[in-house]
Amino acid sequence: MIQAKKNWHFHNPVEIIVGRGCREQLVNTFKQANLLVVTTKRGKQQFSEDVFLGQVVQSNSITWVDSVTENPGLTYLEQEIKQLQGLKVDAVIAFGGGSAMDAAKAIRLGIACQQPISLVELLNQPELHSQVNQTPLYTLPTTSGTGSEVTPFATVWHHEIQKKLSLASDSVFPTTAIVDAQLTDSLPTKVTLSTGLDAINQAAESVWNKNANSITLLLATRALKLGLEALPKLIKDSGDIQMRDQMAEASLLSGLAISHTRTALCHSISYPLTAHFDVPHGLACAFTMPEVCRLNLEADDGRFAELAYTLTGNRNPQALYQLFVDLNNELNVSDTVKSYIPSLEALLILQSEMYNPSRAGNNLVTLQENSLQTILNKAFNN
C-alpha cells in the first residue's frame, strides 16, 4: 500500500482543450484582435498555411516572433523582450515545441512589466512575477514531449556559461492549452523519439519523486501506459494516427504531473549533457532512466509495485526497471547518446554540474557519495 502524504495540494489553473481539430476554436475566439505569435520560422509557415490557424492570421493583426530556435538563450530572449517592450496585445499564442512555449512564457512575462525589469531579475526573483499584469497565453504544442503547455516553468539557457535556468511561478502558467494531435502528424522520427522520451521520463520522474501525491501518481501512471505503448510504434510507423493521439495525451498528462512535482534526478543529470555535448533533451533524460529507476526502487513504499503491475502485470518492482531497460534497448538510446559524448571520462568530469538541487533534490532516494558515478558508469557501459 502506498504511503501517501497526509498533507498535500494540487493546483493547475490551465484550461485544457484536447482533440483533433480543436484548434479551430481559436478562429471563433479571436477576430480583429492584436495577437503576438511566438514560434519558429517553420512554425510560422505551418501556422499560416493551416486550414484553421490561417483564418486566425487573416482576421487578426499579428506580430510575429518567429526566430525561436532550440533551447532559447537568455541573451536572445532579453533582446526580443526589449524590442517588443510597450507592445499592447490581446493575447500571446505559443505555437511549437517546448522551446517555443518556453520562449513565449518568458516574452509574455517580460513585455508585461510596467517598469523595466530584466529577465535575469525575473529569473532570480519569482516574487516579482505576481506584480505583473499579463495578457492571456494560449499554448498549441506541435510536439508531444515537454508538457510545457500546462506547466508553470520556462527553461532559459544561459549559453555563455553553459547553464540551464528556469522561470518558475504560478504566474508562468498558460491560460489555455489547445492539444490538437493533428499538429504532430508530420513530426520527423528523430524529433518524435526525443520528445516522446522526454514525456515518458517526466512521468517516471514524477513517480520517484518526494512531491508525488495521489493525483500526480494517477496522472503519471496513465502517461506511462500511453507513452510506453505509443512511442515504439511511432518510431516504426510515424503515420499511426491513433498513436499520435496517445503520445499527445501522454505528454499532456506528464506535464500536469510535473507541474506539481517538478522533475528529478534524470533531468538534473541531463542538463550538462545538452549544454556541453548538444545531446537532445529527451535522449539525455532517458540515458540514465533505467539506473535512476533502480536506485529509487530502494525506497519502494508500494508505488513501484503498483506501477509495475499496471504496466507489466507483474508486481515485482524489478519489472519496472526491466521495462525501462527494454525501452532504451529497443530505441537504441544508449548508443545514440554516446555518439555525442567523446568518452566516459568526459562524462564523469561533469558530475559536479549534474546535481541541481531543485531537480535532484526531488528524487525519492537521497544520493550517496558514489551514487552519481555508479549511475553514469552503468548507463555508459550498458
Side-chain angles (χ1 to χ4, degrees), residues 41-209:
K41 289 194 179 298
R42 178 181 176 277
K44 179 180 180 180
Q45 181 179 358
Q46 183 182 1
F47 193 102
S48 301
E49 295 177 355
D50 184 81
V51 62
F52 298 125
L53 301 178
Q55 297 178 51
V56 175
V57 176
Q58 294 169 9
S59 60
N60 297 278
S61 175
I62 307 290
T63 298
W64 294 94
V65 174
D66 62 345
S67 53
V68 178
T69 58
E70 189 174 358
N71 302 323
L74 175 63
T75 301
Y76 160 74
L77 290 170
E78 285 183 325
Q79 290 173 345
E80 289 295 338
I81 291 169
K82 184 177 181 180
Q83 291 176 2
L84 295 167
Q85 205 74 53
L87 178 69
K88 303 298 182 183
V89 295
D90 298 304
V92 177
I93 297 176
F95 183 78
S99 293
M101 286 186 279
D102 287 349
K105 290 174 179 178
I107 291 170
R108 173 210 190 196
L109 185 60
I111 66 174
C113 296
Q114 296 300 313
Q115 302 296 327
I117 301 175
S118 71
L119 184 54
V120 171
E121 290 176 293
L122 292 170
L123 284 159
N124 294 331
Q125 302 177 62
E127 64 273 12
L128 295 175
H129 301 182
S130 61
Q131 302 173 20
V132 177
N133 184 22
Q134 301 183 89
T135 55
L137 171 62
Y138 290 75
T139 50
L140 283 78
T142 61
T143 65
S144 298
T146 67
S148 184
E149 65 268 20
V150 291
T151 69
F153 318 123
T155 295
V156 177
W157 288 89
H158 197 322
H159 292 301
E160 289 77 7
I161 60 173
Q162 297 178 312
K163 187 175 181 180
K164 178 257 183 195
L165 309 172
S166 182
L167 280 174
S169 75
D170 282 0
S171 298
V172 182
F173 272 120
T175 309
T176 300
I178 298 176
V179 183
D180 187 335
Q182 192 171 11
L183 294 171
T184 72
D185 286 349
S186 61
L187 209 59
T189 300
K190 287 185 178 180
V191 182
T192 298
L193 174 63
S194 183
T195 55
L197 286 170
D198 188 21
I200 289 169
N201 182 253
Q202 287 182 158
E205 295 240 271
S206 67
V207 173
W208 54 66
N209 198 300

Side-chain angles (χ1 to χ4, degrees), residues 2 9 29 88 107 114 133 227 249 269 300 338 353 366 368:
I2 296 175
H9 74 282
T29 301
K88 303 298 182 183
I107 291 170
Q114 296 300 313
N133 184 22
E249 184 178 342
I269 293 171
D300 187 25
K338 286 191 289 186
E353 298 180 33
T366 302
Q368 302 303 311

